[in-house]
C-alpha cells in the first residue's frame, strides 16, 4: 500500500508540486492529510494525485470522468458480471483482439489481478482509476436487484427464506454495501416493521433497509454459520464470534455479537478494517505541537501513558498508531487484549480468555518474564491489573493502556479510586490523553460566517477569528449529501511534570485535609500550564476548516470550562 509520503515523492519528481507548496499546505491545514490540503489549496488537482498513485504502482491512469469512456463502459458492461464488478471494484474499459482493459479502484487488489483473467478467460490489462469514481459508476451501471428484500407477499418472503443461495446473496449484499459506505458497524435488529439493518458511518447510525420478518431467522443462521463457532440452535443467551470473508476482493474481518431480545436475536457486527494498522500519528488529527509532544512520549524508555475516553472514541486506533510508530527491530513489544482486533506484524499479541483463567493480570505477569520493552494493555480494569502495570513501568518498561474517564486529569483520580497509592501513580504516569472523534467536513464544504450572537454563545472573540477558515457542510454524492466524510480526533493532553507529581501525592488521605488536592484543582492547574481542553482543541480544528462547531459541541457536552 502506498503512503502519502510516497505519493508526494512522485509528485515532486514530476514537478506537479513544490516543497514550498507542501510546507504551506501543512501550515494552512494542521492535522489534515497533506494531499487533501494541496487539492483544497488549488496546488493540485485530484487527477494529479490519482496519476501519481497509478505511477507508483506501475499502472496507467484511467480517467473515468471522460464522457466517451463512460459510454464505452456502459456498452461493455456485459463483459463483466455485476457481482464480479462489485466484489473486485472493477469496470470494463476497452476490448481488443489482445484482451480486455479493466479499470480497478484498488491497486493492491492482488486477488483481482490473479483471478479476473481466469474468471473472464481472457488477457487483462489493469488500469488504475479514482476509487470513488469506480464505486459511483458500478452503482450506476450495475444496479442491484432489490426484489429479494422488497415488500412482497408473505409467501414470496417465505420462499426466499428457504432458498439458501438467496440468503447467501442477501448477506453478501449488505456486507459489500457496508464496505462501500465505509461503515464501522452493522446492526441487525428485530423491530415491529421487520428485521432492520443499519450501518454506523462516521459515528452516526443510518438505516440501510428493513427485511421481511420471515427472513430474520435465515439471515441470523447464515451469519452464525459464517463464524464457524456460534451455535445456530442457541437463541437464549448472548454469543460472540468472528467472521473472516472476502468483500470486493479484500479480506473483511468482523467481530460478531448476538443478544436475545423480546422480539428475537439482535446482532451487531464490528468491521475490523486492517487499514487501521497503516494509520500513523499524523493521521489521528493532532495539532502540530501535541503531535510532537506525544511522539516524544511514546519513545520514552519507561512509564505509563494512558488514553481515555468513552467506548467508540478511537482509543484502540490511537494505541495501534503508537505501536506502529515505535515498532522496529530494536524493541520487543507485547500486547494483552480482549479481544485482539488487529494482527500487527512484529508484535507479540496475547488474547485474554477469562473462562480458562487467562486474565489481564495473569497475562501481564507472564509477559514480564518475556523481557519486553513496550507493553500495551487493552484496558486497566482493576487494582491487580493497575498494580502490575505500574510495577512494570517502574522497572524499565513503557506501558500503553486505556481507561474509561471523561477527561484526562480524571484518570489520575480513577487509578487512586481503584486502590493505587498516589505516590505510585505520580511516579509511574507520564501523561494522560483524553480523546473524542468528530465528523470531518467533506471537500464540498462551503465558507461560513459567524454571527455576533453565535460568537457570544461560543465564547469566541474576533481576535480568534482573525486567521480562521470556518466552513459549513454542503453535501454531495461523495459524502451521500451529509456534508461530512470521515472523522478526526480532538485531544486533551495532561502532562505529569514535577509540580503535578507533588499535587497527585496529595490526592489521597492526608493528615491535614486542607492540603488534599482534588481533580478540579489538578485540572485547573493543568489549564494554567497550557493544557488545551477537548473543546478548545476541537475549536482549533474548526478554525482550520476541518470540522464544525456543532460537531465539537456534540462530543464535548461535559467540557464547559
Amino acid at each position: 500500500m502506498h503512503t502519502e509520503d510516497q505519493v508526494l515523492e512522485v509528485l515532486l519528481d514530476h514537478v506537479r508540486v513544490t516543497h514550498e507548496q507542501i510546507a504551506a499546505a501543512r501550515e494552512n491545514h494542521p492535522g489534515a492529510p497533506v494531499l487533501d490540503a494541496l487539492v483544497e489549496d488549488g496546488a493540485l488537482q485530484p487527477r494529479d494525485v490519482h496519476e501519481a498513485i497509478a505511477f507508483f504502482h506501475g499502472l496507467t491512469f484511467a480517467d473515468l470522468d471522460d464522457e466517451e469512456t463512460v459510454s464505452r463502459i456502459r456498452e461493455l458492461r456485459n463483459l463483466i458480471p455485476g457481482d464480479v464488478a462489485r466484489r473486485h471494484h472493477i469496470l470494463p474499459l476497452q476490448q481488443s483482439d489482445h484482451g480486455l482493459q479493466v479499470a480497478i479502484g484498488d491497486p493492491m487488489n492482488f486477488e483481482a489481478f490473479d483471478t479476473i483473467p481466469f474468471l473472464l478467460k481472457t488477457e487483462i490489462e489493469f488500469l488504475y482509476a479514482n476509487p470513488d469514481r469506480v464505486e459511483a459508476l458500478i452503482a450506476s451501471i450495475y444496479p442491484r436487484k432489490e426484489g429479494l428484500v422488497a415488500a412482497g407477499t408473505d409467501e414470496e418472503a417465505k420462499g426466499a427464506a428457504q432458498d439458501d443461495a438467496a440468503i447467501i446473496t442477501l448477506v453478501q449484499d449488505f456486507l459489500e454495501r457496508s464496505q462501500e459506505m465505509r461503515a464501522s458497524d452493522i446492526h441487525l435488529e428485530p423491530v415491529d416493521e421487520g428485521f432492520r439493518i443499519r450501518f454506523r458511518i462516521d459515528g452516526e447510525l443510518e438505516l440501510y433497509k428493513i427485511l421481511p420478518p420471515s427472513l430474520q431467522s435465515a439471515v441470523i443462521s447464515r451469519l452464525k454459520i459464517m463464524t464457524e463457532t456460534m451455535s445456530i440452535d442457541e437463541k437464549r443467551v448472548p454469543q460472540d464470534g468472528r467472521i473472516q470473508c472476502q468483500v470486493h476482493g479484500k479480506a473483511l474481518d468482523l467481530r460478531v455479537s448476538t443478544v436475545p431480545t423480546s422480539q428475537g436475536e439482535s446482532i451487531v457486527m464490528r468491521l475490523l478494517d486492517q487499514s487501521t494498522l497503516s494509520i500513523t500519528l499524523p493521521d489521528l488529527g493532532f495539532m502540530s505541537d501535541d503531535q510532537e509532544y506525544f511522539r516524544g512520549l511514546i519513545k520514552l524508555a519507561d512509564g505509563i501513558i494512558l488514553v481515555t475516553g468513552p467506548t467508540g472514541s478511537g482509543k484502540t486506533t490511537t494505541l495501534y498508531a503508537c505501536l506502529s510508530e515505535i515498532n522496529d527491530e530494536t524493541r520487543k513489544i507485547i500486547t494483552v487484549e480482549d479481544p485482539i482486533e488487529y494482527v500487527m506484524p512484529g508484535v507479540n499479541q496475547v488474547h485474554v480468555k477469562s473462562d480458562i483463567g487467562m486474565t489481564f493480570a495473569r497475562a501481564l505477569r507472564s509477559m514480564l518474564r518475556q523481557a519486553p520493552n513496550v507493553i500495551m494493555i487493552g484496558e486497566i480494569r482493576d487494582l491487580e491489573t493497575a498494580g502490575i502495570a505500574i510495577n512494570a513501568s517502574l522497572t524499565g518498561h513503557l506501558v500503553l493502556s486505556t481507561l474509561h474517564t471523561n477527561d484526562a486529569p480524571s484518570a489520575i483520580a480513577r487509578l487512586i479510586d481503584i486502590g493505587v497509592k498516589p505516590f505510585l501513580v505520580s511516579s509511574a504516569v507520564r501523561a494522560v490523553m483524553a480523546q473524542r472523534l468528530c465528523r470531518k467536513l467533506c471537500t464540498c464544504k462551503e465558507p461560513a460566517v459567524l454571527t455576533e450572537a453565535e460568537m457570544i454563545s461560543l465564547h469566541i472573540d474576533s481576535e480568534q477569528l482573525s486567521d480562521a477558515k470556518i466552513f459549513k457542510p454542503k453535501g454531495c454524492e461523495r459524502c451521500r449529501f451529509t456534508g461530512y466524510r470521515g472523522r478526526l480526533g480532538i485531544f486533551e493532553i495532561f502532562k505529569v511534570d514535577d509540580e503535578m507529581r507533588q499535587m497527585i501525592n496529595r490526592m489521597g488521605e492526608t493528615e491535614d485535609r486542607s492540603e488534599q488536592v482534588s481533580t478540579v484543582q489538578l485540572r485547573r492547574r493543568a489549564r494554567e500550564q497550557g493544557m488545551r481542553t477537548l473543546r478548545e482543541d476541537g475549536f482549533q480544528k474548526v478554525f482550520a476548516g476541518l470540522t464544525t462547531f456543532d460537531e465539537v459541541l456534540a462530543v464535548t457536552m461535559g467540557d464547559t470550562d
Side-chain angles (χ1 to χ4, degrees):
M1 175 59 72
H2 55 268
T3 66
E4 189 171 61
D5 287 342
Q6 289 168 329
V7 177
L8 286 171
E9 284 296 324
V10 173
L11 290 165
L12 286 166
D13 289 344
H14 288 75
V15 200
R16 297 288 184 88
V17 71
T18 66
H19 288 287
E20 291 74 17
Q21 288 172 317
I22 293 173
R26 285 183 168 137
E27 183 177 348
N28 294 336
H29 307 275
V34 179
L35 291 171
D36 289 349
L38 287 165
V39 171
E40 188 168 328
D41 287 348
L44 287 174
Q45 295 299 315
R47 178 182 177 125
D48 295 326
V49 177
H50 292 299
E51 286 183 343
I53 293 171
F55 182 86
F56 178 79
H57 290 281
L59 299 174
T60 301
F61 173 71
D63 183 4
L64 301 189
D65 290 320
D66 180 72
E67 291 185 10
E68 184 179 337
T69 301
V70 174
S71 296
R72 192 165 57 247
I73 291 172
R74 292 186 184 279
E75 292 172 2
L76 299 174
R77 64 184 298 276
N78 291 332
L79 295 178
I80 298 180
D83 60 336
V84 174
R86 287 191 292 268
R87 186 163 301 164
H88 294 286
H89 217 50
I90 61 174
L91 289 165
L93 282 175
Q94 190 159 328
Q95 189 179 31
S96 70
D97 294 337
H98 303 292
L100 182 66
Q101 281 190 340
V102 169
I104 187 165
D106 178 10
M108 296 290 288
N109 188 351
F110 300 121
E111 182 185 1
F113 297 152
D114 292 338
T115 61
I116 296 303
F118 174 77
L119 287 174
L120 302 185
K121 296 180 173 59
T122 186
E123 291 292 320
I124 300 292
E125 179 189 358
F126 287 97
L127 286 75
Y128 170 74
N130 178 342
D132 292 329
R133 187 65 178 142
V134 172
E135 179 181 320
L137 285 174
I138 288 174
S140 170
I141 294 171
Y142 297 99
R144 296 174 182 274
K145 296 179 180 179
E146 300 294 342
L148 178 63
V149 295
T153 67
D154 286 343
E155 289 303 313
E156 289 172 342
K158 289 176 183 176
Q162 300 297 321
D163 187 343
D164 289 344
I167 293 300
I168 291 171
T169 300
L170 170 59
V171 171
Q172 184 70 20
D173 172 88
F174 68 69
L175 291 180
E176 288 181 0
R177 195 69 185 125
S178 70
Q179 188 82 332
E180 292 164 6
M181 295 175 70
R182 302 179 301 104
S184 60
D185 304 87
I186 305 172
H187 292 248
L188 300 98
E189 308 148 317
V191 292
D192 291 340
E193 314 92 272
F195 194 46
R196 181 172 65 185
I197 302 177
R198 294 190 292 172
F199 298 153
R200 188 177 295 279
I201 303 169
D202 295 337
E204 302 287 324
L205 278 172
E206 295 185 15
L207 177 65
Y208 175 51
K209 61 180 59 171
I210 297 178
L211 307 178
S214 51
L215 292 179
Q216 176 179 333
S217 178
V219 170
I220 291 175
S221 294
R222 170 61 185 165
L223 292 171
K224 287 182 175 180
I225 289 170
M226 291 176 72
T227 68
E228 299 182 354
T229 58
M230 297 170 72
S231 170
I232 297 175
D233 298 327
E234 183 56 77
K235 302 177 181 179
R236 300 164 299 171
V237 297
Q239 296 188 68
D240 294 298
R242 200 158 187 162
I243 293 174
Q244 293 178 309
C245 58
Q246 290 283 323
V247 172
H248 288 317
K250 295 182 181 179
L252 183 62
D253 199 357
L254 303 103
R255 200 169 73 204
V256 184
S257 171
T258 70
V259 173
T261 72
S262 60
Q263 294 177 292
E265 287 181 288
S266 172
I267 291 186
V268 175
M269 296 187 286
R270 167 69 57 86
L271 281 75
L272 305 177
D273 187 353
Q274 292 299 318
S275 65
T276 296
L277 293 178
S278 65
I279 291 177
T280 61
L281 288 184
D283 297 326
L284 297 176
F286 284 110
M287 302 301 288
S288 57
D289 55 341
D290 281 348
Q291 181 176 308
E292 289 311 306
Y293 176 74
F294 199 70
R295 176 172 278 128
L297 281 175
I298 62 176
K299 292 182 179 178
L300 293 173
D302 56 26
I304 294 179
I305 300 168
L306 295 171
V307 181
T308 77
T311 300
S313 59
K315 300 187 298 296
T316 300
T317 299
T318 296
L319 289 182
Y320 276 107
C322 292
L323 294 183
S324 178
E325 181 88 10
I326 60 178
N327 183 17
D328 59 37
E329 296 297 326
T330 67
R331 293 181 178 88
K332 183 178 179 68
I333 301 174
I334 303 182
T335 74
V336 53
E337 306 170 62
D338 183 20
I340 296 172
E341 294 196 358
Y342 307 100
V343 177
M344 177 170 277
V347 174
N348 299 277
Q349 295 173 270
V350 178
H351 185 186
V352 169
K353 296 181 180 178
S354 300
D355 55 336
I356 60 171
M358 178 59 83
T359 62
F360 272 103
R362 183 173 180 180
L364 280 170
R365 283 193 291 269
S366 299
M367 286 163 57
L368 292 175
R369 292 193 286 271
Q370 297 285 312
N373 301 101
V374 181
I375 298 170
M376 190 268 272
I377 307 169
E379 182 185 350
I380 293 179
R381 301 178 178 179
D382 51 44
L383 176 58
E384 187 176 14
T385 303
I388 297 171
I390 284 176
N391 287 335
S393 73
L394 295 176
T395 53
H397 305 83
L398 179 66
V399 179
L400 308 176
S401 190
T402 71
L403 276 176
H404 284 279
T405 62
N406 289 329
D407 63 6
S410 295
I412 303 299
R414 171 66 179 149
L415 289 174
I416 294 172
D417 287 344
I418 64 176
V420 181
K421 299 297 183 184
F423 75 90
L424 289 174
V425 176
S426 65
S427 301
V429 177
R430 297 286 182 264
V432 182
M433 183 174 75
Q435 69 176 67
R436 300 289 189 277
L437 294 176
C438 59
R439 290 187 296 173
K440 187 177 177 180
L441 281 165
C442 179
T443 52
C444 65
K445 62 189 177 184
E446 54 188 17
V449 178
L450 285 183
T451 65
E452 186 173 343
E454 288 172 327
M455 290 172 62
I456 292 172
S457 67
L458 293 169
H459 305 291
I460 294 172
D461 56 47
S462 55
E463 185 177 341
Q464 289 175 281
L465 298 177
S466 58
D467 296 321
K469 298 177 181 178
I470 299 177
F471 292 86
K472 61 183 178 182
K474 180 181 179 182
C476 65
E477 288 186 7
R478 187 168 183 264
C479 62
R480 303 179 326 283
F481 299 97
T482 64
Y484 298 94
R485 183 177 173 87
R487 290 193 288 177
L488 78 160
I490 58 175
F491 307 96
E492 173 181 284
I493 300 181
F494 174 71
K495 306 172 183 178
V496 181
D497 58 13
D498 288 339
E499 180 181 352
M500 285 300 173
R501 290 189 184 93
Q502 294 175 10
M503 293 183 71
I504 292 169
N505 287 338
R506 301 202 304 274
M507 289 186 72
E509 293 293 332
T510 59
E511 293 183 4
D512 186 351
R513 287 190 174 273
S514 64
E515 294 185 1
Q516 192 168 352
V517 172
S518 67
T519 304
V520 173
Q521 292 171 297
L522 209 63
R523 181 175 177 81
R524 183 182 302 124
R525 183 57 188 144
R527 294 206 58 199
E528 290 170 354
Q529 292 181 340
M531 181 185 79
R532 278 195 301 268
T533 67
L534 286 164
R535 180 165 292 181
E536 289 168 343
D537 191 59
F539 280 6
Q540 289 294 313
K541 282 147 191 175
V542 175
F543 298 151
L546 300 175
T547 187
T548 63
F549 287 111
D550 287 343
E551 278 296 301
V552 173
L553 293 173
V555 299
T556 60
M557 292 298 291
D559 188 2
T560 56
D561 58 348

